[in-house]
Structures are given as C-alpha cells and as structure tokens.
Amino acid sequence: MSNNWHLETNCIQAGYTPKNGEPRMMPIVQSTTFKYDTSAGMGALFDLEADGYFYTRLANPTTDAVAAKIAALEGGTAALLTSSGQAANFFAVFNLCSAGDHLICSSTVYGGTFNLFAVTLKRMGIECTFVDPDCSDEELDAAFQPNTKLVFGESIANPALIILDIERFAKAAHAHGVPLIIDNTFPTPMNCKPFQWGADIVTHSTTKYLDGHDATVGGCIVDSGNFDWMAHADKFPGLTTPDESYHGVTYAERFGQGGAFITKCCAQLMRDLGCTPAPMNAYLLNMGIETLHVRMPRHCENAQKVAEFLQSHEKVTWVNYAGLPGNKYHELAQKYMPNGTCGVVSFGVKGGRAAAEQFMAGLKLCMIATHVADAHTCVLHPASSTHRQMTDAELVAAGVSPDLIRLSVGIENIDDILADLSAALENI
C-alpha cells in the first residue's frame, strides 16, 4: 500500500483514487450488504478465494480506503480499521495469543490498555508481564518466557510521555522470535515511523490526532509485512497451520508475509467479535487525516511554548515534555521524533492533588475533558479519571503521580492558551 509520495501528499491522496467520472471525495458506502448475481460468486468471498465485499461487519469500501491511507502513512503492507483504539490493541494481541500464552508490555502504557492486558486478558488465560520501559537489557531479556508471543509498547506513553526505545525493544523481541507491536497514537506517522526502527505492527487510536476534531471514535492496526511468520511457525499456529473455519486455509501461505496478519485479524476476529467501524466514521476520519500534516507541527509548536512557560512558572513544581532540553527522554525524542513529539504536556503544581483541582477549575479556554490529542486544548487529572482503577503502586509504575495534570495543547492562538494557563495558576 505504500508508495513514493511524501507524507503530506499521502495524507490527502492515498487510499482512494477516483476513476473517470467517479466522485472526487471518497464515497460513504453506507450499506450493510452487497449484491451478487450468483451464490458461487459470493461463496468465493466467504472462502477467501476472491476479493470483494459481502457484509460490512467484515469489510467495506470506505473503511478499507481509509485503512489503506493509514498503511501508506506508516509504510505498511496492510491495515484494518476497528471501532476504537481499545479494539485495535485487543485485536492485534488476540490475533497472536490464546489461552496459555504470554506477552510482555511496557508498564507505562495508557491505563485502559494496562487494564485490558492485566485484567481482561488474564481472565481469558493470557498472562502479561509488565516491564519498566527504562529497564536494562538483562531485565528485559529475563521477562521472556517459552510461551511469549509478542512485546507491546507505546511510542509515547499516555499520559507519562515516556519515549520508548523502539529499536532496543525490537531487537529483544526479534532475538526471541516474536514481533514488536507499537501503539503510535501520540506522535502519529507524521512524527514517528516505528517500522523504520524494527517494529512489526503498529496500532492507533484514530480517535486522537488522526481524527483530530473530537468527531469519531476509532482504531487501526497496520502490518509492516516484515515479520516472517513461517520462520517461527511453531509460535504462531493460528497463522501457519490450517484454519478449519475457512476450509483449511493457511494464512501465511495463502496471503504471504505482508497480508497474513491483517487477513486473519479480519476474517477471524472481526467476523466473530464485530468491532466494526461505521463507514460514516471512516469518512470523517479521512477528513481529519487530510489535514494531519498541517495540524501536527502546530500542536508541537504550541506545546513547546507551553512547556517552556510552565517550566519557568513559580507555582509549577515539574514539567514533563520531551522537547525540553534536559528532559530525561530528550535524546530519544531527537532520535525517533526529530520533527517533534506531540501536543501533550504533563506537569504538577505546588499543593499537589488539591491544587491541581483548583487550577483546573480556574481554566476558561482549556476544557476539562476525557479526550486528548485534538484541535481543542483540554486538560485532565488522570489519577482521578482515566487511571482511577489503578492502585497507587500501579500509578507510580505507570508514571502517573497523584498531582499529574495532562494538558493536551490544541491549535488555538498560543497567546490565548498561555493567558488562560497564567490566570488559572494565579487562582491557586
């Protein structure tokens, strides 16, 4: 799906190319089903012997076109849209793991992902070992078990903003014959290309910057096409042995290294679990992606100025933003994201949790909202919202202190943003 166009061009042109007389804009195919002249023609689709559409729960022209665009942006070979980012992460992991299997995950991932892996997958018989993203090579190696099927991490942790050393984690995963899955939601492919550093599969909560306008919930999985499933056939029987629910098709043989993972993900998981994105949502997501290359630089520019302002304010105790020289992850950010990281800044204020709540109450422009990473500037106190199910020890491990304020800097005029922050800080 990738091509030689620049990222900016792919944001607009990739995924859908109208033929003579066809709509210039990607059409919304708002239909559950598709008509065929013969049962044999439809049967070939059910047997995965032909390309086409028969039921939107599995595939739809609109959602496929947007998935192809995101694959082009990431430099992947195939992609699948899902109904949410949580669904994308679940599908990406469950496509490789079953009861009795094990995965390794960075401990600083988003609270919802942490709960998915630590609680829900455990109920399904899948165990997860969480490792500090800054652990030593020896500690990372020790986390692997004979039944480990994958390693998972976020390019930028939400909300801890820790930059994962993708190349190091990929090297460890490949040494044990398993893929590295990277959630690339925060930097987006505009700022970070995990496949270039050894990641094998990328996921997104498209609800965030890819959509960019608070309009649609969605997710995406992209396969790099680089992981050789047949070379590790004993670890991944779901991909390398016959699937009797499709008349014995072996995905890695029929669809090759670049298509097996996504085909299995759609044919099995989307078929059975149905985390299907609506065509209208995919259309709106595409509209957002068309301006991604314009929005991301503005997010990063504004966030850098906000981080510098907060760092110099007497009522702010600490600021975490990898764009600041001296930040613990500044060098990694320069390596993996030289054009900027994202628009999210985390910080703490003097007075702890109570002062944080007082600060947020004094904001006018910045909205208190669960959402993050869109055009509007918004703020959240994770310990009492997105991460409230976690214990204090788990919060610390996830890099979320009780006083942490997550500020998602939008693309409004920077002077207005700074004025709002200044007035709220004076309110403490």
Side-chain angles (χ1 to χ4, degrees):
M1 291 185 182
S2 59
N3 50 50
N4 294 322
W5 287 336
H6 291 83
L7 281 173
E8 296 86 347
T9 304
N10 273 328
C11 282
I12 299 169
Q13 297 286 354
Y16 170 69
T17 302
K19 298 177 183 177
N20 186 53
E22 291 186 339
R24 175 63 192 91
M25 282 300 297
M26 180 186 299
I28 306 169
V29 182
Q30 194 66 44
S31 179
T32 61
T33 50
F34 302 81
K35 180 258 185 186
Y36 284 86
D37 292 334
T38 67
S39 295
M42 181 175 285
L45 297 173
F46 274 91
D47 289 343
L48 305 181
E49 293 175 349
D51 294 328
Y53 303 95
F54 57 90
Y55 197 50
T56 284
R57 186 178 81 238
L58 278 87
N60 174 283
T62 306
T63 58
D64 275 4
V66 181
K69 174 172 285 191
I70 298 174
L73 290 173
E74 287 287 5
T77 57
L80 175 70
L81 290 192
T82 61
S83 56
S84 69
Q86 280 289 86
N89 285 339
F90 173 62
F91 274 27
V93 171
F94 199 56
N95 206 33
L96 300 178
C97 293
S98 57
D101 288 337
H102 172 259
L103 68 139
I104 296 169
C105 181
S106 169
S107 62
T108 57
V109 292
Y110 164 64
T113 306
F114 184 98
N115 193 70
L116 170 65
F117 293 172
V119 179
T120 304
L121 286 185
K122 187 174 183 178
R123 293 174 58 195
M124 302 171 71
I126 301 169
E127 297 289 336
C128 180
T129 296
F130 292 94
V131 297
D132 189 321
D134 298 326
C135 67
S136 66
D137 291 342
E138 293 74 20
E139 289 170 328
L140 180 56
D141 185 71
F144 286 86
Q145 301 176 13
N147 59 340
T148 300
K149 296 299 176 71
L150 62 97
V151 180
F152 186 99
E154 294 174 338
S155 48
I156 302 179
N158 174 15
L161 302 182
I162 290 170
I163 309 292
L164 190 75
D165 192 339
I166 300 171
E167 190 172 31
R168 185 168 74 92
F169 272 69
K171 182 178 179 181
H174 296 160
H176 289 270
V178 300
L180 173 65
I181 301 177
I182 291 293
D183 184 328
N184 199 35
T185 295
F186 265 16
T188 80
M190 293 307 303
N191 288 343
C192 182
K193 302 298 287 289
F195 292 157
Q196 295 180 357
W197 300 101
D200 301 288
I201 296 158
V202 157
T203 63
H204 284 277
S205 171
T206 61
T207 317
K208 310 304 190 298
Y209 287 121
L210 290 181
D211 168 84
H213 298 89
D214 255 341
T216 63
V217 175
C220 187
I221 310 168
V222 186
D223 184 10
S224 68
N226 293 329
F227 194 85
D228 190 343
W229 306 108
M230 293 304 293
H232 307 283
D234 58 322
K235 283 184 175 291
F236 306 104
L239 286 159
T240 61
T241 61
D243 178 3
E244 296 308 321
S245 70
Y246 281 107
H247 304 292
V249 63
T250 299
Y251 295 99
E253 292 178 352
R254 172 78 66 84
F255 302 101
Q257 192 168 303
F261 183 88
I262 293 297
T263 302
K264 176 180 179 293
C265 203
C266 179
Q268 284 187 354
L269 302 187
M270 195 65 82
R271 174 196 66 189
D272 295 342
L273 300 174
C275 298
T276 309
M280 183 65 189
N281 280 9
Y283 176 85
L284 292 172
L285 170 60
N286 180 66
M287 295 285 284
I289 294 174
E290 287 190 347
T291 62
L292 180 67
H293 63 290
V294 179
R295 291 183 286 107
M296 285 307 294
R298 179 62 174 263
H299 279 293
C300 294
E301 177 187 347
N302 279 358
Q304 182 71 29
K305 292 178 180 178
V306 164
E308 292 169 356
F309 164 78
L310 292 171
Q311 191 177 48
S312 64
H313 200 285
E314 60 179 9
K315 293 187 178 181
V316 175
T317 53
W318 59 271
V319 180
N320 183 18
Y321 187 68
L324 293 173
N327 181 275
K328 182 179 180 179
Y329 299 98
H330 184 71
E331 289 188 14
L332 279 179
Q334 293 299 303
K335 174 181 177 178
Y336 294 120
M337 307 161 203
N339 296 323
T341 56
C342 65
V344 182
V345 179
S346 63
F347 64 100
V349 294
K350 292 180 180 178
R353 184 190 292 256
E357 293 175 354
Q358 190 176 14
F359 161 77
M360 290 168 62
L363 294 167
K364 303 299 182 185
L365 181 151
C366 307
M367 296 177 287
I368 298 176
T370 306
H371 203 239
V372 67
D374 66 73
H376 307 82
T377 297
C378 52
V379 65
L380 191 72
H381 185 239
S384 60
S385 54
T386 55
H387 289 61
R388 67 180 301 116
Q389 288 85 8
M390 300 172 69
T391 66
D392 286 348
E394 288 172 338
L395 284 171
V396 171
V400 181
S401 59
D403 66 336
L404 185 149
I405 298 169
R406 184 185 72 182
L407 181 66
S408 179
V409 183
I411 56 175
E412 303 95 343
N413 184 283
I414 186 60
D415 291 336
D416 294 331
I417 297 172
L418 294 179
D420 193 41
L421 294 174
S422 180
L425 285 169
E426 292 303 317
N427 191 49
I428 297 176

